[in-house]
Amino acid sequence: MTLERCENTSRWKGASEFWVAALLLVCGCVSLWQASTLTTNAATQGPLGSGVMPAAVGLLLVGCGIALAIDVYRGGRGEVEGGEDIDLDTPSDWRAFVGVAGAFLSNAVLIEPLGWPISGAILFWGAATALGNRHYARNAVLSLALSFVSYFLFVELMRIHLPAGILSGVL
């Protein structure tokens, strides 16, 4: 992100950017605190414990928060998004947004009772339809294929449990 210097503005004008710095500091402190409470378990091998990566991330977050706060205090401001390959004058497509959000919410509600193969197919079909694809039958076939293939990849190859739902006796 390119930062501009605004010489003729008040130092406290960018209060929202101070909130971002504060959020980074809080997240970093929480990460450091959580890293300090982790215990060594049987999976830990070598000289590094389980809290090394969370502590490193926490330190980086605290460092970024402090650096951002200092920069904003000195007058640094973030550059406004330029809209590289989108038309900023075009309004948002709320219909597509609501459709995709509805597909995700339906997946969250239906994944336990119906299982991933069916709820995933509903998710994929709903997202494709909401984003403008009007080949409903082809979308249904491809969504079913994609959800079943992803189910078997997760369950059989990666050994990650996904709910089978009503197909638990069949799969």
Side-chain angles (χ1 to χ4, degrees):
M1 174 173 29
T2 306
L3 297 177
E4 297 176 352
R5 301 287 177 200
C6 301
E7 304 301 331
N8 56 0
T9 60
S10 168
R11 287 182 183 224
W12 299 105
K13 185 175 181 186
S16 64
E17 292 177 353
F18 279 114
W19 283 109
V20 173
L23 179 67
L24 287 171
L25 284 168
V26 168
C27 288
C29 290
V30 168
S31 179
L32 288 171
W33 177 68
Q34 288 289 320
S36 70
T37 62
L38 290 176
T39 59
T40 304
N41 57 23
T44 304
Q45 296 177 353
L48 300 178
S50 57
V52 172
M53 283 307 292
V57 170
L59 286 173
L60 288 172
L61 285 170
V62 167
C64 287
I66 291 171
L68 179 60
I70 290 170
D71 184 60
V72 172
Y73 180 75
R74 290 181 178 172
R77 300 289 178 263
E79 184 179 330
V80 178
E81 179 70 35
E84 184 175 306
D85 40 338
I86 60 169
D87 183 12
L88 293 176
D89 296 327
T90 305
S92 299
D93 187 2
W94 288 103
R95 184 175 177 185
F97 175 78
V98 169
V100 172
F104 273 101
L105 288 174
S106 69
N107 183 47
V109 170
L110 298 174
I111 194 166
E112 283 297 325
L114 296 182
W116 170 255
I118 295 174
S119 71
I122 294 170
L123 167 68
F124 298 141
W125 184 86
T129 303
L131 293 173
N133 194 325
R134 299 294 172 235
H135 301 281
Y136 303 115
R138 183 182 68 187
N139 288 349
V141 170
L142 291 175
S143 296
L144 281 168
L146 183 60
S147 66
F148 275 93
V149 166
S150 65
Y151 176 80
F152 285 113
L153 285 175
F154 273 88
V155 171
E156 298 299 326
L157 292 179
M158 294 188 280
R159 302 285 183 219
I160 297 173
H161 172 73
L162 290 176
I166 60 175
L167 299 174
S168 62
V170 178
L171 298 178

